[in-house]
């Protein structure tokens, strides 16, 4: 038995369509709480290395879930265009740049930008937390 007969029919469409189970960034239906699949990349620093984390984030209405909703809803035109390694006002040389992706939306910020947005900070902390 594959277990599909035990699942109630839901509002989600076939896999691969927006809002369908498995669609990137769409809240995934679970037993209790839907989940967002979120990827965080940290680049820069003195060594210039890139680290990548991916984790499901529960759509529980908390700060991390609110940030995931905001990022997933960003259009291509709204996505941050600041690139790692570019100097701009307030940039700290050799500082970290964070790129957060949820669905089609993506957000990039430096350490200061991360700290100014408590919801994004909470989302990054959830995804990068040790298991």
């Amino acid at each position: 038995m594959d277990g599909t007969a035990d699942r109630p029919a839901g509002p989600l469409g076939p896999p691969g369509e927006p809002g369908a189970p498995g669609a990137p960034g769409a809240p995934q239906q679970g037993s209790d709480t839907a989940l967002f699949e979120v990827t965080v990349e940290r680049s820069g620093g003195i060594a210039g290395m890139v680290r990548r984390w991916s984790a499901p984030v529960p759509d529980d209405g908390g700060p991390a879930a609110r940030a995931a909703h905001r990022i997933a809803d960003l259009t291509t035109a709204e996505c941050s265009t600041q690139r790692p390694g570019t100097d701009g006002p307030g940039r700290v040389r050799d500082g970290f740049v964070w790129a957060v992706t949820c669905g089609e939306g993506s957000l990039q910020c430096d350490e200061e930008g991360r700290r100014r947005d408590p919801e994004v900070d909470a989302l990054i902390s959830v995804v990068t937390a040790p298991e």
Side-chain angles (χ1 to χ4, degrees):
M1 181 172 201
D2 66 4
T4 56
D6 297 335
R7 286 188 223 139
L12 301 175
E17 291 185 10
Q28 303 299 304
Q29 297 297 323
S31 57
D32 296 321
T33 306
L35 300 172
F36 283 101
E37 186 62 34
V38 179
T39 300
V40 173
E41 288 185 359
R42 183 189 72 190
S43 60
I46 294 172
M49 297 179 65
V50 176
R51 292 212 44 205
R52 180 177 291 124
W53 300 264
S54 288
V57 174
D59 188 8
D60 58 5
R66 290 192 300 269
H69 271 282
R70 280 191 358 235
I71 293 167
D73 290 341
L74 290 174
T75 64
T76 303
E78 295 171 321
C79 291
S80 171
T81 58
Q82 183 179 9
R83 297 283 175 222
T86 61
D87 289 330
R91 284 238 353 142
V92 176
R93 187 168 176 82
D94 296 326
F96 289 121
V97 174
W98 298 89
V100 184
T101 304
C102 185
E104 298 298 316
S106 179
L107 173 76
Q108 287 189 357
C109 59
D110 59 11
E111 282 291 322
E112 182 182 342
R114 174 186 173 179
R115 300 293 178 220
R116 278 187 282 158
D117 190 333
E119 291 178 348
V120 170
D121 188 40
L123 179 60
I124 291 171
S125 294
V126 166
V127 175
T128 62
E131 294 179 25

